[in-house]
Amino acid sequence: MKKKIKIANKKLKTPFNNSPLFSFFFQAFLTLVIFSILMSIFGLFAGPFATQKDEISLSELAGDIKNGKVEKILVKGDILDIYYFEKVKPEIATSSPFYFLLSNKEPIPLRKKSKKETEAGLTETLKNYGVEPEQLAKVQIVVKDPTGFRYWFATLAPLLLPLIIIFIIIAFLSRNMGKAGMQAFSFGASRARFIDPKNAKQKVTFKDVAGAKEAKEELSEIVDFLKNPKKFIQIGARIPKGVLLVGAPGTGKTLLARAVAGEARVPFFSISGSEFVEMFVGVGASRVRDMFAQAKKYAPSIIFIDEIDAVGRIRGAGIGGGNDEREQTLNQILVEMDGFEPNEKVIVMAATNRPDVLDPALLRPGRFDRRVVVDLPDREAREEILKVHARGGAGVKSKPLSKDVDLKVIAERTPGFSGADLANLMNEAAILAAREGRKEITQNDLIRSIEKVMLGPERKSHVLSNKEKEITAYHEAGHALVASVLPNADPVHKISIISRGKAAGYTLKLPFEDKKMQTRAEFLDDIAVSLGGYVAEKLVFGDVTTGPSNDLQVLTAIARNMVTKWGMSEKIGTIAVESESGQPTFGFAPYAKEHSEKLSAEIDEEVRRIISNAYKKVQDILTEKRDLLDAIAKTLLEKETIEREEFEEILKKYGIEPKKPENDAPQKEN
């Protein structure tokens, strides 16, 4: 039934569906149409069966009795219902849609009606009209008592039935209008989702959150306060009223907030920042008030606002003005958190990946006192996250792994993956295994899923011509060769000319260990590696294609960031003319000028110089190692994919020592 209702709603979808007035008139029109159809059908069916009742005089009735035509007379007060021996077929209109169905019905007795005198009985009246007792005895006379329920029903039904139908229609329409009115009154009610601490199915604890050790240590104080607030109150300590979770998308901020509520066993109210703001003025502020009122009733409790930057952006930026609905909502949040009504047992948690755009009043002490950074997981944390998704828990179904699976290797090959990326990786591996009819996930499934998550699925239908395949092979060989020669570039793990996503081929480079910082030398080598494909195409074929377009965008962005954000240019100096968010450093207005025209020209010139130097370096490497470039490209054309071990064997043949982790490097003697 649910599916049918959904389909019907899609068919009736109009721009006015959300209008109560439109809903009222539509339902009224629909009710009248249904009522008209039912009355028409009743008339079509009832009409053909109704016998022809001609009204005759008493003298005609007396004549019919004398001639022996009358079989029975039914007396209903003053009304005489007369049944004749003669049989007739029911009269049916030829235009009726039921004519062919009803035209073959059996004949029925002829019926007529008459009206007797009120003062005299029927027998006496007929005798006065010359009917002999013997003739009258042949007629069956039935007298029906006009009193009782049937009499009153027959009398009042024609009047009451239409009134009852009208009353039902009005009641039906009033009920729907009442719902619309109630919705209008509840428009400012909180839309926060409530999670009961007693609900075991929705309960999440720190055991279900892998990695994020520092974040869990910070949040454990919140859990301790909610469990035992007296310990803090007695010593005069004040627990933070607000906790802001900051991190990249998919790092588990929402999961951590739920884990805090699960560990503390307190009610959890969750809502998104976008759910406060509506087109009507004051709705967002009303919902904030209602949400805090509900949380106070269940105190101690936790309120979690996801994507708080939707309503918590800097005020007074010249957009919207003081009456902006978003600003009114933010003002109400500020008042509720630390205003005239301080909340001692309601802790507000929020999550965002844009802390730089939040209003300073939201981040001051007394509101969001504590900021917890949720970083991307390191290698050990990634391995723990993979184990969580393998064994199941917190709404995650367990996944059977084969004996050859080594999650440590998968964690090493996924630097930069967030918790959501790792969950997607495990899910893609399970899909691959199920598609191939296996009941266990193998190591090969997980490795293939890494490339699918990073680059997209294989495009087997995207067949390259021989010329395009050769260009792609030299392009990827150029990337791999430059990465192997330059000392600060990441080692190559895989080269392929099989199309994935939008890429015709790819070179997979992965560091031996996770990096929290990068040096200027590493950025310069990354720029050179990105130019490897472009230079290889130009060196071998004397022309370039559209293949390196994404490489050029990436290396240009790195070079510009080096100059404008990270102070890695000797000419521009140690200044940052742009912030990490891309907003101007001097002022937050979108129309504010970042820097002078002269400085802009110097930045462009410095970016061009960095890229030109990298281009010359790559050109020298590929010209010198042309034999190795041809060997890598030839192997790619034959096998389409080269794994790390085979690639390192090719390097050794041409006198290049493969890169090794620092721990495996030979120790120098003092």
Side-chain angles (χ1 to χ4, degrees):
M1 291 296 293
K2 291 182 179 178
K3 292 183 178 178
K4 292 181 179 179
I5 292 172
K6 287 182 179 179
I7 293 172
N9 287 338
K10 287 182 179 178
K11 289 182 179 179
L12 295 175
K13 188 175 181 180
T14 67
F16 307 100
N17 272 16
N18 295 329
S19 170
L21 186 62
F22 174 81
S23 178
F24 171 78
F25 283 112
F26 177 77
Q27 291 178 359
F29 174 75
L30 187 63
T31 304
L32 291 174
V33 169
I34 294 173
F35 178 73
S36 302
I37 292 173
L38 291 176
M39 293 300 293
S40 301
I41 293 173
F42 175 77
L44 288 172
F45 276 104
F49 292 106
T51 55
Q52 186 72 26
K53 292 186 178 180
D54 297 330
E55 188 170 354
I56 60 175
S57 62
L58 288 176
S59 59
E60 291 176 335
L61 174 60
D64 291 338
I65 293 174
K66 293 177 181 178
N67 295 328
K69 296 180 179 181
V70 178
E71 178 184 6
K72 182 175 67 173
I73 299 176
L74 187 62
V75 182
K76 300 178 183 178
D78 297 339
I79 305 299
L80 303 178
D81 198 359
I82 308 161
Y83 291 80
Y84 288 79
F85 288 105
E86 182 182 352
K87 304 288 185 180
V88 295
K89 279 192 174 184
E91 294 183 3
I92 306 167
T94 55
S95 60
S96 172
F98 305 99
Y99 175 76
F100 294 103
L101 296 175
L102 303 176
S103 58
N104 295 326
K105 293 295 179 181
E106 295 295 329
I108 59 176
L110 176 64
R111 293 176 60 184
K112 294 184 179 181
K113 64 179 181 178
S114 182
K115 193 173 182 181
K116 73 177 186 64
E117 298 174 356
T118 306
E119 296 80 5
L122 177 61
T123 305
E124 183 180 353
T125 302
L126 292 175
K127 286 181 179 179
N128 295 334
Y129 280 92
V131 179
E132 298 295 333
E134 295 80 8
Q135 296 171 340
L136 190 59
K138 297 178 181 180
V139 178
Q140 181 183 359
I141 300 176
V142 179
V143 180
K144 279 198 172 182
D145 190 359
T147 60
F149 173 77
R150 291 184 179 180
Y151 171 77
W152 290 108
F153 180 80
T155 305
L156 299 177
L159 177 64
L160 293 179
L161 284 178
L163 294 176
I164 292 173
I165 293 173
I166 294 173
F167 176 78
I168 292 173
I169 294 173
I170 293 174
F172 176 74
L173 297 178
S174 300
R175 184 187 65 178
N176 286 278
M177 287 297 291
K179 287 182 179 179
M182 291 300 293
Q183 289 176 359
F185 282 112
S186 64
F187 202 67
S190 171
R191 303 293 176 89
R193 289 163 290 280
F194 174 73
I195 297 180
D196 194 334
K198 298 179 182 179
N199 190 339
K201 292 183 179 180
Q202 294 183 329
K203 186 178 180 181
V204 179
T205 62
F206 284 151
K207 293 181 180 179
D208 302 313
V209 184
K213 294 180 181 178
E214 293 79 8
K216 287 192 284 189
E217 288 176 1
E218 288 284 331
L219 296 173
S220 61
E221 295 181 6
I222 307 295
V223 175
D224 195 12
F225 171 78
L226 291 170
K227 283 184 175 180
N228 188 15
K230 292 183 180 179
K231 181 175 70 173
F232 294 87
I233 295 173
Q234 288 175 353
I235 202 170
R238 182 179 62 83
I239 200 72
K241 295 182 179 180
V243 179
L244 183 65
L245 301 175
V246 180
T251 50
K253 300 184 290 293
T254 304
L255 192 63
L256 273 171
R258 290 184 60 186
V260 172
E263 288 285 341
R265 298 178 183 177
V266 296
F268 184 75
F269 296 86
S270 65
I271 192 170
S272 172
S274 61
E275 295 183 59
F276 289 115
V277 181
E278 294 280 356
M279 63 180 293
F280 300 107
V281 177
V283 172
S286 175
R287 289 178 179 176
V288 171
R289 289 191 294 269
D290 187 62
M291 181 179 65
F292 275 88
Q294 291 182 26
K296 290 175 186 177
K297 291 180 182 178
Y298 289 92
S301 60
I302 293 176
I303 293 175
F304 176 66
I305 306 174
D306 198 8
E307 304 295 345
I308 194 172
D309 51 278
V311 293
R313 287 178 175 266
I314 297 174
R315 294 170 294 176
I319 302 174
N323 291 325
D324 181 23
E325 173 64 11
R326 179 185 58 79
E327 292 193 8
Q328 297 298 325
T329 304
L330 174 59
N331 292 338
Q332 190 63 45
I333 293 175
L334 298 176
V335 171
E336 291 289 346
M337 289 189 68
D338 189 20
F340 296 106
E341 298 181 6
N343 304 313
E344 295 295 337
K345 294 183 180 180
V346 176
I347 295 177
V348 183
M349 300 183 70
T352 182
N353 51 15
R354 296 290 307 279
D356 52 298
V357 302
L358 295 180
D359 194 277
L362 201 61
L363 303 177
R364 75 159 176 81
R367 291 194 175 117
F368 283 104
D369 306 89
R370 187 165 300 183
R371 181 182 299 188
V372 179
V373 179
V374 187
D375 287 323
L376 291 171
D378 56 15
R379 188 195 60 77
E380 294 181 0
R382 291 196 297 271
E383 186 177 352
E384 292 178 10
I385 293 172
L386 291 171
K387 289 179 180 178
V388 167
H389 287 280
R391 70 169 183 262
V396 179
K397 190 174 179 61
S398 62
K399 297 173 177 62
L401 304 179
S402 64
K403 295 180 180 179
D404 69 330
V405 170
D406 188 352
L407 295 179
K408 184 177 180 180
V409 174
I410 303 301
E412 291 175 351
R413 298 192 67 168
T414 52
F417 274 46
S418 65
D421 292 330
L422 295 171
N424 190 27
L425 185 153
M426 294 294 291
N427 185 60
E428 290 293 342
I431 292 174
L432 286 173
R435 187 184 300 167
E436 296 174 5
R438 288 179 280 105
K439 295 184 179 180
E440 288 184 337
I441 300 172
T442 63
Q443 184 79 352
N444 187 39
D445 295 330
L446 293 170
I447 292 174
R448 287 187 294 167
S449 298
I450 294 174
E451 298 171 7
K452 188 174 182 180
V453 172
M454 291 177 65
L455 303 169
E458 288 187 11
R459 298 172 63 190
K460 297 180 180 179
S461 61
H462 186 67
V463 181
L464 299 175
S465 65
N466 292 333
K467 184 65 175 178
E468 290 175 332
K469 202 171 184 180
E470 186 180 7
I471 294 173
T472 304
Y474 272 98
H475 180 101
E476 300 304 332
H479 286 308
L481 177 55
V482 175
S484 302
V485 173
L486 295 177
N488 298 300
D490 295 330
V492 176
H493 278 66
K494 186 175 183 178
I495 316 169
S496 177
I497 57 173
I498 299 174
S499 298
R500 277 187 177 273
K502 294 182 179 181
Y506 58 95
T507 300
L508 186 61
K509 302 186 288 78
L510 298 172
F512 289 117
E513 58 184 11
D514 294 337
K515 297 179 181 179
K516 300 297 182 184
M517 296 183 293
Q518 277 189 279
T519 63
R520 181 176 182 272
E522 288 173 342
F523 280 125
L524 291 175
D525 283 0
D526 286 342
I527 293 173
V529 172
S530 298
L531 279 169
Y534 180 90
V535 177
E537 289 184 17
K538 195 169 184 180
L539 179 66
V540 176
F541 302 99
D543 199 0
V544 291
T545 65
T546 57
S549 60
N550 185 62
D551 297 331
L552 297 176
Q553 293 174 13
V554 171
L555 67 91
T556 304
I558 294 175
R560 181 166 289 276
N561 288 338
M562 289 175 63
V563 176
T564 60
K565 294 182 181 179
W566 302 326
M568 294 181 178
S569 169
E570 295 178 359
K571 184 176 181 180
I572 301 300
T574 54
I575 61 172
V577 294
E578 290 182 3
S579 65
E580 288 293 333
S581 64
Q583 295 290 338
T585 304
F586 312 108
F588 49 79
Y591 49 80
K593 195 172 182 179
E594 298 183 14
H595 38 70
S596 65
E597 296 295 334
K598 181 180 178 181
L599 183 57
S600 297
E602 291 178 355
I603 289 172
D604 294 338
E605 183 181 348
E606 184 67 5
V607 170
R608 189 178 293 108
R609 186 189 67 81
I610 292 173
I611 297 174
S612 298
N613 291 342
Y615 182 92
K616 187 176 182 304
K617 184 191 297 185
V618 173
Q619 192 174 33
D620 294 341
I621 292 172
L622 295 182
T623 303
E624 182 183 351
K625 306 289 184 182
R626 176 62 188 270
D627 294 341
L628 178 55
L629 179 67
D630 293 336
I632 298 171
K634 183 179 178 182
T635 307
L636 278 173
L637 289 171
E638 292 175 357
K639 299 184 177 181
E640 292 188 336
T641 299
I642 303 176
E643 294 292 343
R644 176 183 173 184
E645 294 78 9
E646 186 177 0
F647 179 67
E648 290 180 351
E649 291 296 326
I650 298 173
L651 294 177
K652 289 178 181 178
K653 288 180 182 179
Y654 288 85
I656 297 178
E657 189 65 26
K659 295 179 181 180
K660 294 181 180 180
E662 293 182 3
N663 297 335
D664 297 341
Q667 298 293 328
K668 294 182 180 180
E669 296 182 2
N670 295 327

